[in-house]
Amino acid sequence: MTKKTVAIFLSVILTAVFAAAAFAACGNDDGIPADMSGIVLTDGGVEITLTASNGETSYDIYKCGSAYGEYVLVESGFGGRIYESEDVWAYYRADGYAHGRKVSSRIYSYERELFGGETYIFSPDDDPDQVQAVIDGIYSEQRGSENGQFAETRAAIYFKPGVYDVRVDEGYYTSVAGLGMLPTDTDIADFNVDADIPPSADGSGWVNHNATCNFWRSVENIEVNADVRWAVSQATSMRRVKINGDLTLHHLGGWSSGGFLADSVVGGTVDAGSQQQWLSRNDEWTAWNGTNFNMVFVGTEGAAPEDGWPGGSRATHIAETPAVREKPFLVFDERDGYGVFVPAMRTGSVGASWSDGKTDGEVIPLSEFYVARADRDDAASLNAALSSGRHVFLTAGIYELDEPLEVTRAGTVVMGSGYATLRVSDANEDTLMRVADEDGITICGLLFDAGAHSETLLEVGGDDASADHSDDPICLSDLFFRIGGRADVNTYVRTSVIINSDDVIGDNFWVWRADHTYGVGWDVNVTKNGLTVNGDDVTFYGLLVEHFHEYQTVWRGERGRTYFYQSEIPYDPPSQDAYMSSDGTVRGYASYKVDDGVRTHTAYGLGVYSCPHNAEIKVDNAIEVPANPGIRIEHAVTVLLDSDPCIQSVINGNGTVISPGWMSAINVYDGGSIY
């Protein structure tokens, strides 16, 4: 937490400080570090240790049901040092007295102790003015490209079920979520994401509303009683949201390059506007306006643009979502406290999973999770939790790992909050996370950040992976990968993501070799490939892979399926000689490469864009696939964003020019034939 955020927080909470956080290195029998702070969980509730640092001889104890509500006196003149209560989730204030006068005032909260200082949890009983002040303070810290885009702060904002008369403006590295079982349990007056890129020198309104760098923010499981602006690009997620109005995906027509909308209901019209491309999966709305480069609709309900490929309305419609498990989410109720709801698998689905007023799945009590905090946890403590059989909930923060996290147990859930970030330390030349070839593992809500050198950032299944997970797939949701951009240092990752297991579902990935700000250059943030898929029956909904040195995506597994793909080839090859594939016989590297030996593969709605800094750079094929009968690519487009013509064909030397000099497209490629 930065100084500014701390100041705002303390001014709202009174002038008291939260419970002292002195964490010892001791642990319990399974090696997990124990909490050693002013408030701890007991079998019957919580226990507060009252320190007499100012000579206190007695205390008045006050209690509040939430962080920003009204405290009520529950015990006067308490003379002990240990105060016990059955109310785990209450907030306690202890006013200490010595010689007849108050000498201290401290607030204790197990909720705050559990989730850490970058997690903010609101209750409908809170003072709305105080809630608004905290939300505005977070936004002021996390907004704008200069101080937000590569900031080190993280924020998770949660609302317990109820009604909130507040406006939420969301900035970088922030997640906003309701804690009810249904989105309709948590009612927010207003929610908004603006384009915060600074104005251009000439005052151009088009540039002023540029959202192409509006990354790293999410919202889920809330109802909004207003029109919503969601002007975002990659590495964003809107899930399980009910909007009682219109949804606008841009800021007054400024550039935008998203995006992902899933399991949501919009009462009015979705206005895509300037969005270059978009994936909508299992959504419902009244109407949809706009298509631009590439829009894909999978299992949606409501009026949407007709398929006009290649030269008209570039919309792709898939009637049903073949198989998906929605991302898990944190829930709370007064009786059972916190848990993580894991939705059930859905097959052949249409529309939102909850629109009939119920959600299928199970709640895993938070007691079965190890709740990690970046200020006290490392790879050793996280692996100790995983090996002991715990799930892991990573609270908002940056976790620097000197060895991989090993997820080995079937059914394990590893879930991040507030763009929890796993970062490669200088000592780690391996990977950040290795997932075993086991049923039902779920990894979600994480940013993987490269360091000086690692072979990969995520590996799913070993080289010998062969298990059948078709009845209980491995699910990977809202996972984002970054090489470079954040600091003026060199980074290296050979291949960011390798999937060796069969029956894996990927749901919203951005795999990004950074193209701007710090630590960026052909010989600075060095890579080979973005994603390699070796497993069979792997499905992606929303796959975005950009700027890697060679093939962006390499697919070797059978029966792979991709629903929506967005990619930019690297901007910065220094010369054509440095950017040749196929043993120097093909100019450039295809973005989407299906191995010659693959017999069956299907992909829908693929967009590959170019913007080379060097005018001599050419890419012969945006997509390369074998001419086998089981290979089908439905709807693919190439776009020259800027500079000189670069991509020469859409697929294997084929493509229909639809905008001379800057756009070409293909309707269907099927087994070597073009339709």
Side-chain angles (χ1 to χ4, degrees), residues 1 9 68 91 111-112 114-122 138 154-158 175 330 338 371-373 393-397 417-418:
M1 187 185 297
F9 181 70
Y68 309 98
Y91 285 68
E111 188 172 73
R112 172 66 58 166
L114 180 65
F115 291 110
E118 293 188 316
T119 299
Y120 304 82
I121 299 172
F122 301 119
I138 296 168
R154 303 289 184 267
I157 300 173
Y158 287 106
S175 62
L330 191 67
Y338 285 94
V371 180
R373 282 179 28 183
F393 184 93
L394 293 123
T395 62
S417 171

PDB file of all heavy atoms in Angstrom, residues 1 9 68 91 111-112 114-122 138 154-158 175 330 338 371-373 393-397 417-418:
ATOM      1  N   MET A   1       0.844  -1.193   0.000  1.00  0.00           N
ATOM      2  CA  MET A   1       0.000   0.000   0.000  1.00  0.00           C
ATOM      3  C   MET A   1       0.883   1.248   0.000  1.00  0.00           C
ATOM      4  O   MET A   1       1.827   1.340   0.756  1.00  0.00           O
ATOM      5  CB  MET A   1      -0.909  -0.012   1.237  1.00  0.00           C
ATOM      6  CG  MET A   1      -1.943   1.091   1.246  1.00  0.00           C
ATOM      7  SD  MET A   1      -2.884   1.134   2.783  1.00  0.00           S
ATOM      8  CE  MET A   1      -3.680  -0.408   2.738  1.00  0.00           C
ATOM      9  N   PHE A   9      -6.914   5.834   3.824  1.00  0.00           N
ATOM     10  CA  PHE A   9      -7.514   4.771   4.608  1.00  0.00           C
ATOM     11  C   PHE A   9      -7.606   5.152   6.081  1.00  0.00           C
ATOM     12  O   PHE A   9      -8.637   5.007   6.709  1.00  0.00           O
ATOM     13  CB  PHE A   9      -6.691   3.488   4.426  1.00  0.00           C
ATOM     14  CG  PHE A   9      -7.240   2.321   5.168  1.00  0.00           C
ATOM     15  CD1 PHE A   9      -8.422   1.734   4.757  1.00  0.00           C
ATOM     16  CD2 PHE A   9      -6.586   1.826   6.273  1.00  0.00           C
ATOM     17  CE1 PHE A   9      -8.936   0.660   5.430  1.00  0.00           C
ATOM     18  CE2 PHE A   9      -7.103   0.759   6.946  1.00  0.00           C
ATOM     19  CZ  PHE A   9      -8.276   0.167   6.528  1.00  0.00           C
ATOM     20  N   TYR A  68     -16.557   0.292   8.128  1.00  0.00           N
ATOM     21  CA  TYR A  68     -16.836   1.720   8.052  1.00  0.00           C
ATOM     22  C   TYR A  68     -18.211   2.066   8.624  1.00  0.00           C
ATOM     23  O   TYR A  68     -18.860   2.995   8.184  1.00  0.00           O
ATOM     24  CB  TYR A  68     -16.728   2.190   6.594  1.00  0.00           C
ATOM     25  CG  TYR A  68     -15.439   1.768   5.953  1.00  0.00           C
ATOM     26  CD1 TYR A  68     -15.391   0.638   5.138  1.00  0.00           C
ATOM     27  CD2 TYR A  68     -14.265   2.464   6.182  1.00  0.00           C
ATOM     28  CE1 TYR A  68     -14.193   0.224   4.563  1.00  0.00           C
ATOM     29  CE2 TYR A  68     -13.067   2.060   5.626  1.00  0.00           C
ATOM     30  CZ  TYR A  68     -13.042   0.937   4.820  1.00  0.00           C
ATOM     31  OH  TYR A  68     -11.863   0.532   4.262  1.00  0.00           O
ATOM     32  N   TYR A  91     -15.493  -5.910  13.628  1.00  0.00           N
ATOM     33  CA  TYR A  91     -14.339  -5.030  13.856  1.00  0.00           C
ATOM     34  C   TYR A  91     -14.417  -4.545  15.305  1.00  0.00           C
ATOM     35  O   TYR A  91     -15.497  -4.200  15.792  1.00  0.00           O
ATOM     36  CB  TYR A  91     -14.363  -3.851  12.885  1.00  0.00           C
ATOM     37  CG  TYR A  91     -13.961  -4.234  11.478  1.00  0.00           C
ATOM     38  CD1 TYR A  91     -14.777  -5.056  10.704  1.00  0.00           C
ATOM     39  CD2 TYR A  91     -12.765  -3.785  10.929  1.00  0.00           C
ATOM     40  CE1 TYR A  91     -14.414  -5.421   9.416  1.00  0.00           C
ATOM     41  CE2 TYR A  91     -12.391  -4.143   9.646  1.00  0.00           C
ATOM     42  CZ  TYR A  91     -13.215  -4.967   8.906  1.00  0.00           C
ATOM     43  OH  TYR A  91     -12.851  -5.330   7.637  1.00  0.00           O
ATOM     44  N   GLU A 111     -10.792 -10.052   9.694  1.00  0.00           N
ATOM     45  CA  GLU A 111     -11.003  -9.923   8.261  1.00  0.00           C
ATOM     46  C   GLU A 111      -9.848  -9.178   7.611  1.00  0.00           C
ATOM     47  O   GLU A 111      -9.292  -9.607   6.588  1.00  0.00           O
ATOM     48  CB  GLU A 111     -12.321  -9.188   8.021  1.00  0.00           C
ATOM     49  CG  GLU A 111     -12.784  -9.121   6.597  1.00  0.00           C
ATOM     50  CD  GLU A 111     -14.182  -8.541   6.530  1.00  0.00           C
ATOM     51  OE1 GLU A 111     -14.334  -7.308   6.732  1.00  0.00           O
ATOM     52  OE2 GLU A 111     -15.140  -9.307   6.286  1.00  0.00           O
ATOM     53  N   ARG A 112      -9.445  -8.065   8.210  1.00  0.00           N
ATOM     54  CA  ARG A 112      -8.331  -7.288   7.681  1.00  0.00           C
ATOM     55  C   ARG A 112      -7.019  -8.054   7.834  1.00  0.00           C
ATOM     56  O   ARG A 112      -6.167  -8.061   6.941  1.00  0.00           O
ATOM     57  CB  ARG A 112      -8.272  -5.939   8.395  1.00  0.00           C
ATOM     58  CG  ARG A 112      -7.068  -5.096   8.102  1.00  0.00           C
ATOM     59  CD  ARG A 112      -7.013  -4.616   6.665  1.00  0.00           C
ATOM     60  NE  ARG A 112      -8.167  -3.853   6.264  1.00  0.00           N
ATOM     61  CZ  ARG A 112      -8.217  -3.109   5.163  1.00  0.00           C
ATOM     62  NH1 ARG A 112      -7.166  -3.023   4.376  1.00  0.00           N
ATOM     63  NH2 ARG A 112      -9.309  -2.455   4.852  1.00  0.00           N
ATOM     64  N   LEU A 114      -6.680 -11.271   7.845  1.00  0.00           N
ATOM     65  CA  LEU A 114      -6.695 -12.403   6.928  1.00  0.00           C
ATOM     66  C   LEU A 114      -6.349 -11.989   5.505  1.00  0.00           C
ATOM     67  O   LEU A 114      -5.496 -12.607   4.855  1.00  0.00           O
ATOM     68  CB  LEU A 114      -8.076 -13.062   6.965  1.00  0.00           C
ATOM     69  CG  LEU A 114      -8.303 -14.279   6.064  1.00  0.00           C
ATOM     70  CD1 LEU A 114      -7.424 -15.439   6.499  1.00  0.00           C
ATOM     71  CD2 LEU A 114      -9.775 -14.684   6.090  1.00  0.00           C
ATOM     72  N   PHE A 115      -6.986 -10.935   5.000  1.00  0.00           N
ATOM     73  CA  PHE A 115      -6.876 -10.578   3.585  1.00  0.00           C
ATOM     74  C   PHE A 115      -5.811  -9.521   3.302  1.00  0.00           C
ATOM     75  O   PHE A 115      -5.460  -9.315   2.141  1.00  0.00           O
ATOM     76  CB  PHE A 115      -8.226 -10.098   3.057  1.00  0.00           C
ATOM     77  CG  PHE A 115      -9.263 -11.177   2.975  1.00  0.00           C
ATOM     78  CD1 PHE A 115     -10.350 -11.189   3.835  1.00  0.00           C
ATOM     79  CD2 PHE A 115      -9.160 -12.180   2.031  1.00  0.00           C
ATOM     80  CE1 PHE A 115     -11.320 -12.176   3.761  1.00  0.00           C
ATOM     81  CE2 PHE A 115     -10.122 -13.182   1.942  1.00  0.00           C
ATOM     82  CZ  PHE A 115     -11.198 -13.178   2.819  1.00  0.00           C
ATOM     83  N   GLY A 116      -5.308  -8.827   4.317  1.00  0.00           N
ATOM     84  CA  GLY A 116      -4.233  -7.880   4.098  1.00  0.00           C
ATOM     85  C   GLY A 116      -4.707  -6.498   3.716  1.00  0.00           C
ATOM     86  O   GLY A 116      -5.888  -6.236   3.469  1.00  0.00           O
ATOM     87  N   GLY A 117      -3.727  -5.583   3.629  1.00  0.00           N
ATOM     88  CA  GLY A 117      -4.024  -4.172   3.481  1.00  0.00           C
ATOM     89  C   GLY A 117      -4.417  -3.733   2.089  1.00  0.00           C
ATOM     90  O   GLY A 117      -4.850  -2.594   1.907  1.00  0.00           O
ATOM     91  N   GLU A 118      -4.281  -4.597   1.069  1.00  0.00           N
ATOM     92  CA  GLU A 118      -4.671  -4.202  -0.284  1.00  0.00           C
ATOM     93  C   GLU A 118      -6.009  -4.810  -0.687  1.00  0.00           C
ATOM     94  O   GLU A 118      -6.391  -4.775  -1.850  1.00  0.00           O
ATOM     95  CB  GLU A 118      -3.568  -4.558  -1.273  1.00  0.00           C
ATOM     96  CG  GLU A 118      -2.305  -3.725  -1.027  1.00  0.00           C
ATOM     97  CD  GLU A 118      -1.240  -3.905  -2.097  1.00  0.00           C
ATOM     98  OE1 GLU A 118      -0.991  -5.051  -2.509  1.00  0.00           O
ATOM     99  OE2 GLU A 118      -0.672  -2.889  -2.524  1.00  0.00           O
ATOM    100  N   THR A 119      -6.717  -5.367   0.293  1.00  0.00           N
ATOM    101  CA  THR A 119      -8.077  -5.869   0.090  1.00  0.00           C
ATOM    102  C   THR A 119      -9.037  -5.002   0.891  1.00  0.00           C
ATOM    103  O   THR A 119      -8.835  -4.792   2.092  1.00  0.00           O
ATOM    104  CB  THR A 119      -8.198  -7.331   0.539  1.00  0.00           C
ATOM    105  OG1 THR A 119      -7.309  -8.138  -0.245  1.00  0.00           O
ATOM    106  CG2 THR A 119      -9.621  -7.842   0.354  1.00  0.00           C
ATOM    107  N   TYR A 120     -10.075  -4.498   0.243  1.00  0.00           N
ATOM    108  CA  TYR A 120     -11.055  -3.599   0.854  1.00  0.00           C
ATOM    109  C   TYR A 120     -12.415  -4.279   0.791  1.00  0.00           C
ATOM    110  O   TYR A 120     -12.879  -4.649  -0.295  1.00  0.00           O
ATOM    111  CB  TYR A 120     -11.075  -2.264   0.118  1.00  0.00           C
ATOM    112  CG  TYR A 120      -9.720  -1.601   0.052  1.00  0.00           C
ATOM    113  CD1 TYR A 120      -8.792  -1.974  -0.908  1.00  0.00           C
ATOM    114  CD2 TYR A 120      -9.361  -0.629   0.974  1.00  0.00           C
ATOM    115  CE1 TYR A 120      -7.531  -1.379  -0.960  1.00  0.00           C
ATOM    116  CE2 TYR A 120      -8.119  -0.029   0.934  1.00  0.00           C
ATOM    117  CZ  TYR A 120      -7.204  -0.406  -0.033  1.00  0.00           C
ATOM    118  OH  TYR A 120      -5.968   0.179  -0.075  1.00  0.00           O
ATOM    119  N   ILE A 121     -13.045  -4.459   1.953  1.00  0.00           N
ATOM    120  CA  ILE A 121     -14.304  -5.181   2.031  1.00  0.00           C
ATOM    121  C   ILE A 121     -15.356  -4.261   2.637  1.00  0.00           C
ATOM    122  O   ILE A 121     -15.187  -3.749   3.746  1.00  0.00           O
ATOM    123  CB  ILE A 121     -14.158  -6.460   2.861  1.00  0.00           C
ATOM    124  CG1 ILE A 121     -13.118  -7.385   2.196  1.00  0.00           C
ATOM    125  CG2 ILE A 121     -15.497  -7.177   2.992  1.00  0.00           C
ATOM    126  CD1 ILE A 121     -12.755  -8.599   3.023  1.00  0.00           C
ATOM    127  N   PHE A 122     -16.440  -4.045   1.885  1.00  0.00           N
ATOM    128  CA  PHE A 122     -17.485  -3.138   2.304  1.00  0.00           C
ATOM    129  C   PHE A 122     -18.754  -3.904   2.665  1.00  0.00           C
ATOM    130  O   PHE A 122     -19.018  -4.991   2.133  1.00  0.00           O
ATOM    131  CB  PHE A 122     -17.792  -2.119   1.212  1.00  0.00           C
ATOM    132  CG  PHE A 122     -16.605  -1.287   0.807  1.00  0.00           C
ATOM    133  CD1 PHE A 122     -16.123  -1.318  -0.490  1.00  0.00           C
ATOM    134  CD2 PHE A 122     -15.953  -0.484   1.734  1.00  0.00           C
ATOM    135  CE1 PHE A 122     -15.027  -0.554  -0.865  1.00  0.00           C
ATOM    136  CE2 PHE A 122     -14.865   0.281   1.377  1.00  0.00           C
ATOM    137  CZ  PHE A 122     -14.393   0.243   0.073  1.00  0.00           C
ATOM    138  N   ILE A 138      -8.514   4.808  -3.865  1.00  0.00           N
ATOM    139  CA  ILE A 138      -7.893   3.710  -4.618  1.00  0.00           C
ATOM    140  C   ILE A 138      -7.767   4.091  -6.084  1.00  0.00           C
ATOM    141  O   ILE A 138      -6.722   3.900  -6.713  1.00  0.00           O
ATOM    142  CB  ILE A 138      -8.725   2.425  -4.451  1.00  0.00           C
ATOM    143  CG1 ILE A 138      -8.721   1.960  -2.998  1.00  0.00           C
ATOM    144  CG2 ILE A 138      -8.184   1.316  -5.357  1.00  0.00           C
ATOM    145  CD1 ILE A 138      -9.747   0.883  -2.699  1.00  0.00           C
ATOM    146  N   ARG A 154      -1.607  -3.037  -5.826  1.00  0.00           N
ATOM    147  CA  ARG A 154      -2.710  -3.890  -6.241  1.00  0.00           C
ATOM    148  C   ARG A 154      -3.903  -3.590  -5.339  1.00  0.00           C
ATOM    149  O   ARG A 154      -3.734  -3.148  -4.204  1.00  0.00           O
ATOM    150  CB  ARG A 154      -2.343  -5.374  -6.128  1.00  0.00           C
ATOM    151  CG  ARG A 154      -1.099  -5.798  -6.931  1.00  0.00           C
ATOM    152  CD  ARG A 154      -1.378  -5.782  -8.416  1.00  0.00           C
ATOM    153  NE  ARG A 154      -0.259  -6.273  -9.209  1.00  0.00           N
ATOM    154  CZ  ARG A 154       0.690  -5.512  -9.736  1.00  0.00           C
ATOM    155  NH1 ARG A 154       0.661  -4.190  -9.527  1.00  0.00           N
ATOM    156  NH2 ARG A 154       1.648  -6.031 -10.471  1.00  0.00           N
ATOM    157  N   ALA A 155      -5.111  -3.846  -5.834  1.00  0.00           N
ATOM    158  CA  ALA A 155      -6.295  -3.572  -5.026  1.00  0.00           C
ATOM    159  C   ALA A 155      -7.413  -4.542  -5.380  1.00  0.00           C
ATOM    160  O   ALA A 155      -7.742  -4.732  -6.554  1.00  0.00           O
ATOM    161  CB  ALA A 155      -6.773  -2.133  -5.226  1.00  0.00           C
ATOM    162  N   ALA A 156      -7.992  -5.155  -4.337  1.00  0.00           N
ATOM    163  CA  ALA A 156      -9.193  -5.976  -4.480  1.00  0.00           C
ATOM    164  C   ALA A 156     -10.305  -5.307  -3.684  1.00  0.00           C
ATOM    165  O   ALA A 156     -10.150  -5.060  -2.483  1.00  0.00           O
ATOM    166  CB  ALA A 156      -8.939  -7.386  -3.970  1.00  0.00           C
ATOM    167  N   ILE A 157     -11.416  -5.005  -4.346  1.00  0.00           N
ATOM    168  CA  ILE A 157     -12.540  -4.322  -3.715  1.00  0.00           C
ATOM    169  C   ILE A 157     -13.726  -5.283  -3.712  1.00  0.00           C
ATOM    170  O   ILE A 157     -14.193  -5.709  -4.768  1.00  0.00           O
ATOM    171  CB  ILE A 157     -12.904  -3.031  -4.465  1.00  0.00           C
ATOM    172  CG1 ILE A 157     -11.716  -2.068  -4.485  1.00  0.00           C
ATOM    173  CG2 ILE A 157     -14.123  -2.370  -3.846  1.00  0.00           C
ATOM    174  CD1 ILE A 157     -11.933  -0.842  -5.359  1.00  0.00           C
ATOM    175  N   TYR A 158     -14.199  -5.623  -2.513  1.00  0.00           N
ATOM    176  CA  TYR A 158     -15.316  -6.550  -2.369  1.00  0.00           C
ATOM    177  C   TYR A 158     -16.495  -5.861  -1.684  1.00  0.00           C
ATOM    178  O   TYR A 158     -16.316  -5.047  -0.772  1.00  0.00           O
ATOM    179  CB  TYR A 158     -14.915  -7.764  -1.533  1.00  0.00           C
ATOM    180  CG  TYR A 158     -13.996  -8.729  -2.245  1.00  0.00           C
ATOM    181  CD1 TYR A 158     -12.646  -8.804  -1.917  1.00  0.00           C
ATOM    182  CD2 TYR A 158     -14.482  -9.579  -3.232  1.00  0.00           C
ATOM    183  CE1 TYR A 158     -11.805  -9.698  -2.565  1.00  0.00           C
ATOM    184  CE2 TYR A 158     -13.652 -10.478  -3.886  1.00  0.00           C
ATOM    185  CZ  TYR A 158     -12.313 -10.530  -3.546  1.00  0.00           C
ATOM    186  OH  TYR A 158     -11.482 -11.417  -4.189  1.00  0.00           O
ATOM    187  N   SER A 175      -9.491  -5.349  -8.941  1.00  0.00           N
ATOM    188  CA  SER A 175     -10.660  -6.191  -9.181  1.00  0.00           C
ATOM    189  C   SER A 175     -11.786  -5.721  -8.279  1.00  0.00           C
ATOM    190  O   SER A 175     -11.566  -5.364  -7.120  1.00  0.00           O
ATOM    191  CB  SER A 175     -10.341  -7.669  -8.931  1.00  0.00           C
ATOM    192  OG  SER A 175      -9.974  -7.905  -7.590  1.00  0.00           O
ATOM    193  N   LEU A 330     -15.284 -15.561  -4.800  1.00  0.00           N
ATOM    194  CA  LEU A 330     -15.373 -15.482  -3.346  1.00  0.00           C
ATOM    195  C   LEU A 330     -16.799 -15.118  -2.938  1.00  0.00           C
ATOM    196  O   LEU A 330     -17.418 -14.253  -3.559  1.00  0.00           O
ATOM    197  CB  LEU A 330     -14.391 -14.439  -2.835  1.00  0.00           C
ATOM    198  CG  LEU A 330     -14.135 -14.380  -1.320  1.00  0.00           C
ATOM    199  CD1 LEU A 330     -13.431 -15.642  -0.843  1.00  0.00           C
ATOM    200  CD2 LEU A 330     -13.287 -13.146  -0.984  1.00  0.00           C
ATOM    201  N   TYR A 338     -16.763 -16.861   4.965  1.00  0.00           N
ATOM    202  CA  TYR A 338     -16.246 -16.826   3.598  1.00  0.00           C
ATOM    203  C   TYR A 338     -16.082 -18.222   3.011  1.00  0.00           C
ATOM    204  O   TYR A 338     -15.794 -19.190   3.719  1.00  0.00           O
ATOM    205  CB  TYR A 338     -14.898 -16.111   3.565  1.00  0.00           C
ATOM    206  CG  TYR A 338     -15.002 -14.614   3.706  1.00  0.00           C
ATOM    207  CD1 TYR A 338     -14.884 -14.008   4.961  1.00  0.00           C
ATOM    208  CD2 TYR A 338     -15.245 -13.807   2.603  1.00  0.00           C
ATOM    209  CE1 TYR A 338     -14.988 -12.635   5.103  1.00  0.00           C
ATOM    210  CE2 TYR A 338     -15.355 -12.430   2.729  1.00  0.00           C
ATOM    211  CZ  TYR A 338     -15.229 -11.852   3.979  1.00  0.00           C
ATOM    212  OH  TYR A 338     -15.344 -10.502   4.113  1.00  0.00           O
ATOM    213  N   VAL A 371      -4.867 -18.766   2.804  1.00  0.00           N
ATOM    214  CA  VAL A 371      -5.019 -17.394   2.331  1.00  0.00           C
ATOM    215  C   VAL A 371      -3.652 -16.730   2.388  1.00  0.00           C
ATOM    216  O   VAL A 371      -3.108 -16.469   3.463  1.00  0.00           O
ATOM    217  CB  VAL A 371      -6.058 -16.637   3.171  1.00  0.00           C
ATOM    218  CG1 VAL A 371      -6.198 -15.202   2.659  1.00  0.00           C
ATOM    219  CG2 VAL A 371      -7.411 -17.349   3.125  1.00  0.00           C
ATOM    220  N   ALA A 372      -3.088 -16.479   1.221  1.00  0.00           N
ATOM    221  CA  ALA A 372      -1.716 -15.969   1.120  1.00  0.00           C
ATOM    222  C   ALA A 372      -1.707 -14.454   1.095  1.00  0.00           C
ATOM    223  O   ALA A 372      -2.622 -13.816   0.561  1.00  0.00           O
ATOM    224  CB  ALA A 372      -1.049 -16.514  -0.144  1.00  0.00           C
ATOM    225  N   ARG A 373      -0.658 -13.897   1.659  1.00  0.00           N
ATOM    226  CA  ARG A 373      -0.414 -12.454   1.611  1.00  0.00           C
ATOM    227  C   ARG A 373       1.011 -12.215   1.150  1.00  0.00           C
ATOM    228  O   ARG A 373       1.957 -12.863   1.614  1.00  0.00           O
ATOM    229  CB  ARG A 373      -0.644 -11.832   2.986  1.00  0.00           C
ATOM    230  CG  ARG A 373      -2.099 -11.632   3.312  1.00  0.00           C
ATOM    231  CD  ARG A 373      -2.350 -11.046   4.672  1.00  0.00           C
ATOM    232  NE  ARG A 373      -1.288 -10.199   5.177  1.00  0.00           N
ATOM    233  CZ  ARG A 373      -1.306  -9.643   6.383  1.00  0.00           C
ATOM    234  NH1 ARG A 373      -2.329  -9.860   7.190  1.00  0.00           N
ATOM    235  NH2 ARG A 373      -0.311  -8.883   6.780  1.00  0.00           N
ATOM    236  N   PHE A 393      -5.648 -19.214  -1.924  1.00  0.00           N
ATOM    237  CA  PHE A 393      -6.247 -17.939  -2.318  1.00  0.00           C
ATOM    238  C   PHE A 393      -5.178 -16.873  -2.144  1.00  0.00           C
ATOM    239  O   PHE A 393      -4.748 -16.591  -1.018  1.00  0.00           O
ATOM    240  CB  PHE A 393      -7.459 -17.632  -1.437  1.00  0.00           C
ATOM    241  CG  PHE A 393      -8.203 -16.384  -1.808  1.00  0.00           C
ATOM    242  CD1 PHE A 393      -9.280 -16.429  -2.667  1.00  0.00           C
ATOM    243  CD2 PHE A 393      -7.826 -15.145  -1.297  1.00  0.00           C
ATOM    244  CE1 PHE A 393      -9.979 -15.275  -3.009  1.00  0.00           C
ATOM    245  CE2 PHE A 393      -8.505 -13.992  -1.629  1.00  0.00           C
ATOM    246  CZ  PHE A 393      -9.581 -14.056  -2.494  1.00  0.00           C
ATOM    247  N   LEU A 394      -4.720 -16.286  -3.252  1.00  0.00           N
ATOM    248  CA  LEU A 394      -3.674 -15.278  -3.212  1.00  0.00           C
ATOM    249  C   LEU A 394      -4.308 -13.896  -3.175  1.00  0.00           C
ATOM    250  O   LEU A 394      -4.937 -13.458  -4.140  1.00  0.00           O
ATOM    251  CB  LEU A 394      -2.748 -15.409  -4.419  1.00  0.00           C
ATOM    252  CG  LEU A 394      -1.919 -16.697  -4.438  1.00  0.00           C
ATOM    253  CD1 LEU A 394      -2.168 -17.471  -5.719  1.00  0.00           C
ATOM    254  CD2 LEU A 394      -0.442 -16.408  -4.291  1.00  0.00           C
ATOM    255  N   THR A 395      -4.151 -13.204  -2.052  1.00  0.00           N
ATOM    256  CA  THR A 395      -4.702 -11.861  -1.928  1.00  0.00           C
ATOM    257  C   THR A 395      -3.889 -10.889  -2.777  1.00  0.00           C
ATOM    258  O   THR A 395      -2.782 -11.198  -3.242  1.00  0.00           O
ATOM    259  CB  THR A 395      -4.709 -11.405  -0.471  1.00  0.00           C
ATOM    260  OG1 THR A 395      -3.366 -11.351   0.021  1.00  0.00           O
ATOM    261  CG2 THR A 395      -5.529 -12.353   0.390  1.00  0.00           C
ATOM    262  N   ALA A 396      -4.432  -9.695  -2.976  1.00  0.00           N
ATOM    263  CA  ALA A 396      -3.803  -8.692  -3.830  1.00  0.00           C
ATOM    264  C   ALA A 396      -2.383  -8.385  -3.352  1.00  0.00           C
ATOM    265  O   ALA A 396      -2.155  -8.139  -2.168  1.00  0.00           O
ATOM    266  CB  ALA A 396      -4.642  -7.418  -3.834  1.00  0.00           C
ATOM    267  N   GLY A 397      -1.441  -8.398  -4.284  1.00  0.00           N
ATOM    268  CA  GLY A 397      -0.049  -8.123  -3.966  1.00  0.00           C
ATOM    269  C   GLY A 397       0.862  -8.762  -4.995  1.00  0.00           C
ATOM    270  O   GLY A 397       0.408  -9.402  -5.949  1.00  0.00           O
ATOM    271  N   SER A 417      -6.632 -12.665  -6.428  1.00  0.00           N
ATOM    272  CA  SER A 417      -7.557 -11.558  -6.209  1.00  0.00           C
ATOM    273  C   SER A 417      -6.805 -10.251  -6.385  1.00  0.00           C
ATOM    274  O   SER A 417      -5.641 -10.134  -5.989  1.00  0.00           O
ATOM    275  CB  SER A 417      -8.135 -11.660  -4.789  1.00  0.00           C
ATOM    276  OG  SER A 417      -8.867 -10.517  -4.449  1.00  0.00           O
ATOM    277  N   GLY A 418      -7.452  -9.249  -6.977  1.00  0.00           N
ATOM    278  CA  GLY A 418      -6.805  -7.950  -7.118  1.00  0.00           C
ATOM    279  C   GLY A 418      -5.563  -7.994  -7.980  1.00  0.00           C
ATOM    280  O   GLY A 418      -4.591  -7.297  -7.718  1.00  0.00           O
TER     281      GLY A 418
END
